[in-house]
């Protein structure tokens, strides 16, 4: 298939009453216009999901553009063509999570470590040391644990939202967050 970029094809067919499955079949056959129709039809939902995760529209837009390129390359892997919307949203959320992992420099400060707001060089040095140790603890988590923990602690998402975003069950999300919290609390035990 030729390379795809959403802005290359002038075909405003997102509102045409053509079923997603048919558009996917046409896109697999190399019809870039059909893929553009899918991008226009499902792009807003992808952008909404990516923005909730990435935090900024600019980061979300980058994630969605990358998701379109990945989707174009992997169209043959889509088993159920009529479920392309969910598939595209999953790719966009995965890309947003990748951006979140790569660009978020500040890890949230866990409640069990928070101390009263103190000023001065000693308090600042102690807080920086705690944040350094916390970053090490978070990096030691599995990708799934880290994703679930960041979506809960940073993005303040509900368990059901995290489950939809990651493709896990709510029980799996709860388990991953519990394991992540246990690991972080154990790793940070010296700071209590």
């Amino acid at each position: 298939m030729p390379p795809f970029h959403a802005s290359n094809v002038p075909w405003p067919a997102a509102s045409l009453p053509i079923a997603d499955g048919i558009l996917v079949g046409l896109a697999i056959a190399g019809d870039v216009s059909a893929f553009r129709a899918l991008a226009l039809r499902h792009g807003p939902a992808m952008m909404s999901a990516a923005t909730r995760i990435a935090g900024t529209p600019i980061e979300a837009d980058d994630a969605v553009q990358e998701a379109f390129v990945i989707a174009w390359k992997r169209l043959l892997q889509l088993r159920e063509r009529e479920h392309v919307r969910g598939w595209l949203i999953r790719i966009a959320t995965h890309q947003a999570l990748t951006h979140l992992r790569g660009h978020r420099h500040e890890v949230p400060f866990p409640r069990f470590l928070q101390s009263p707001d103190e000023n001065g060089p000693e308090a600042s040095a102690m807080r920086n040391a705690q944040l350094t140790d916390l970053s090490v603890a978070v990096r030691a988590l599995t990708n799934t644990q880290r994703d679930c923990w960041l979506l809960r602690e940073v993005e303040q998402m509900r368990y059901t939202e995290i489950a939809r975003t990651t493709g896990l069950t709510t029980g799996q999300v709860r388990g991953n967050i519990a394991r992540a919290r246990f690991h972080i609390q154990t790793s940070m035990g010296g700071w209590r």
Side-chain angles (χ1 to χ4, degrees):
M1 280 194 252
F4 174 79
H5 190 275
S7 63
N8 291 350
V9 185
W11 195 62
S15 61
L16 290 179
I18 299 173
D20 283 347
I22 293 170
L23 289 172
V24 170
L26 291 169
I28 288 172
D31 186 345
V32 178
S33 299
F35 189 78
R36 173 101 200 272
L38 290 167
L40 291 170
R41 184 179 290 171
H42 301 298
M46 294 168 69
M47 187 68 177
S48 175
T51 302
R52 278 197 315 267
I53 294 168
T56 68
I58 293 170
E59 293 274 337
D61 187 55
D62 289 346
V64 170
Q65 284 301 317
E66 291 168 12
F68 283 137
V69 172
I70 290 167
W72 176 253
K73 291 176 181 176
R74 296 183 184 166
L75 268 175
L76 286 172
Q77 297 175 8
L78 179 60
R79 290 189 194 120
E80 297 179 39
R81 295 177 179 180
E82 59 279 352
H83 294 127
V84 69
R85 177 185 181 90
W87 184 70
L88 289 170
I89 290 171
R90 277 192 303 280
I91 294 171
T93 56
H94 177 75
Q95 288 307 116
L97 285 167
T98 300
H99 277 257
L100 186 66
R101 272 189 230 121
H103 297 298
R104 189 167 301 277
H105 300 292
E106 185 174 322
V107 175
F109 211 63
R111 287 180 283 281
F112 72 87
L113 290 178
Q114 290 180 354
S115 58
D117 290 334
E118 298 174 20
N119 294 324
E122 289 177 10
S124 179
M126 187 172 88
R127 183 172 174 88
N128 287 339
Q130 288 176 331
L131 285 172
T132 299
D133 287 352
L134 178 59
S135 292
V136 169
V138 170
R139 281 194 304 272
L141 298 171
T142 67
N143 285 341
T144 304
Q145 290 171 353
R146 187 180 317 111
D147 292 346
C148 291
W149 187 80
L150 287 170
L151 290 172
R152 179 70 184 145
E153 299 297 329
V154 177
E155 300 301 324
Q156 299 295 306
M157 291 175 80
R158 294 187 187 118
Y159 291 105
T160 54
E161 292 175 304
I162 297 168
R164 267 195 312 271
T165 300
T166 59
L168 300 171
T169 66
T170 306
Q172 290 170 321
V173 167
R174 288 183 188 281
N176 278 292
I177 291 171
R179 285 187 290 281
R181 285 177 177 161
F182 177 78
H183 171 77
I184 290 168
Q185 286 180 351
T186 302
S187 298
M188 302 295 292
W191 287 106
R192 288 183 170 211

